[in-house]
Amino acid sequence: MSNFFIIEGISSVSAVINNTLNAYSNSRRRLTDVYFDMSKIAKYDRANYGRYRFLKENAHRCGYVFHESTTDEISVMVSGNTHGGIAAKMEFFEIDTLSADKIKDNSFYCYLDGVDDPFNVGYIVRTMYAFGVSGVILPENNKMNLFASTVIKSSAGLTEHVDMHTASPELLCSAFREKEYKIVCSSLRDSVPCHDADLKYPLLLVIGGEKRGISRAILSNADLNVRIDYSVPFNGSLPSVCAASVLGYEIGLQNGNTKCFKEKLIL
């Protein structure tokens, strides 16, 4: 396997750059090369010219090589056609193992148990970020390194703005118990409607995958199981991304975090 992978699009690339520039960031993720399709500014385009300047001017500060490239050169590198003329090489990285000292006091975290689809992982990270999550934890056997490009892109680069850790079910529960967090699982058994549940911080929300659900080791340690009540008779379950959206909104609502923010985080 190569020691780097390709990320694409201004959202993903600029998120890594902004995180590198952040003096308070402890991220070990770094770009080695950034590629920009010069045909995007052949005719003066204010938005693309701004992106060009942003990427070029931060090359020295972030330690990557900036390449003025062609459409064909970038097309060979990427897997799709939604890159907008921007791609970058990024070194593979290992996500840190969770420990109690890495957990912030009185905050909100999310654990994805058995959510295997990399698109879903990215979408849930984006959703949880919007509702104030401090960190997302993945199982020890996650495949983030294999699908890192997909996860970063589907999260719109927001994997670079939340803490990411890995943990076994046992480590997860013991670390959050040590920090006196409430463990809440999205599960039907012995559950209460999410809008009737106490979802105040500090809170760990556990969301299960659509095939395997949440492991017994975590369910047995949960303080509370919550469900999403439907408007019509329906025996099925929502996709994990949809469940995350509803539960994330309810958590944000109960903790006073649901406001309209119009400022753009990244280019």
Side-chain angles (χ1 to χ4, degrees):
M1 188 195 313
S2 174
N3 62 353
F4 66 86
F5 60 96
I6 302 295
I7 62 173
E8 57 189 73
I10 189 60
S11 294
S12 298
V13 175
S14 63
V16 179
I17 293 172
N18 286 330
N19 207 37
T20 302
L21 295 173
N22 183 353
Y24 300 100
S25 170
N26 59 4
S27 175
R28 293 180 287 114
R29 312 175 196 186
R30 294 292 185 267
L31 302 176
T32 62
D33 299 82
V34 172
Y35 302 83
F36 186 88
D37 180 359
M38 294 302 291
S39 70
K40 294 293 181 181
I41 57 173
K43 295 181 179 179
Y44 186 81
D45 180 294
R46 185 173 181 179
N48 277 318
Y49 187 70
R51 291 165 183 161
Y52 167 79
R53 290 189 58 186
F54 172 79
L55 297 173
K56 185 174 183 178
E57 291 172 0
N58 282 301
H60 178 71
R61 297 174 66 189
C62 296
Y64 60 79
V65 179
F66 182 72
H67 302 267
E68 296 183 349
S69 303
T70 66
T71 302
D72 290 342
E73 288 172 339
I74 292 178
S75 296
V76 170
M77 298 171 58
V78 300
S79 57
N81 56 7
T82 59
H83 51 80
I86 296 168
K89 285 184 180 179
M90 186 174 182
E91 294 179 343
F92 276 110
F93 55 87
E94 294 295 332
I95 303 176
D96 291 337
T97 301
L98 180 73
S99 58
D101 62 289
K102 296 174 183 175
I103 300 172
K104 297 177 182 177
D105 293 330
N106 194 38
S107 193
F108 162 40
Y109 287 80
C110 180
Y111 181 75
L112 305 184
D113 193 8
V115 180
D116 297 323
D117 186 295
F119 287 99
N120 284 345
V121 173
Y123 296 148
I124 292 175
V125 169
R126 192 196 309 190
T127 299
M128 293 292 101
Y129 180 89
F131 296 117
V133 80
S134 287
V136 175
I137 301 108
L138 303 177
E140 288 179 316
N141 61 347
N142 74 89
K143 299 178 181 179
M144 178 69 171
N145 259 353
L146 293 178
F147 302 105
S149 179
T150 300
V151 176
I152 292 172
K153 186 171 184 179
S154 58
S155 75
L158 293 172
T159 51
E160 306 310 298
H161 294 280
V162 299
D163 290 338
M164 300 284 291
H165 301 289
T166 64
S168 66
E170 295 76 18
L171 173 60
L172 178 85
C173 295
S174 64
F176 279 96
R177 283 279 178 244
E178 184 177 334
K179 297 292 284 189
E180 299 183 344
Y181 268 62
K182 181 187 301 180
I183 300 175
V184 177
C185 292
S186 175
S187 177
L188 283 174
R189 180 171 295 180
D190 300 322
S191 62
V192 298
C194 61
H195 58 267
D196 290 337
D198 179 5
L199 301 178
K200 295 289 182 64
Y201 296 171
L203 177 75
L204 169 67
L205 173 67
V206 182
I207 296 176
E210 294 165 36
K211 293 182 180 179
R212 299 195 302 271
I214 299 172
S215 67
R216 187 175 302 175
I218 296 177
L219 287 171
S220 63
N221 279 280
D223 296 295
L224 182 66
N225 292 337
V226 295
R227 68 176 186 269
I228 299 168
D229 287 345
Y230 304 141
S231 300
V232 297
F234 177 55
N235 292 325
S237 60
L238 293 178
S240 55
V241 177
C242 298
S245 299
V246 175
L247 294 172
Y249 180 79
E250 182 63 34
I251 291 169
L253 192 67
Q254 290 196 24
N255 290 278
N257 293 341
T258 51
K259 302 176 182 177
C260 180
F261 293 98
K262 297 182 180 179
E263 297 85 354
K264 292 189 72 175
L265 176 65
I266 50 182
L267 280 172

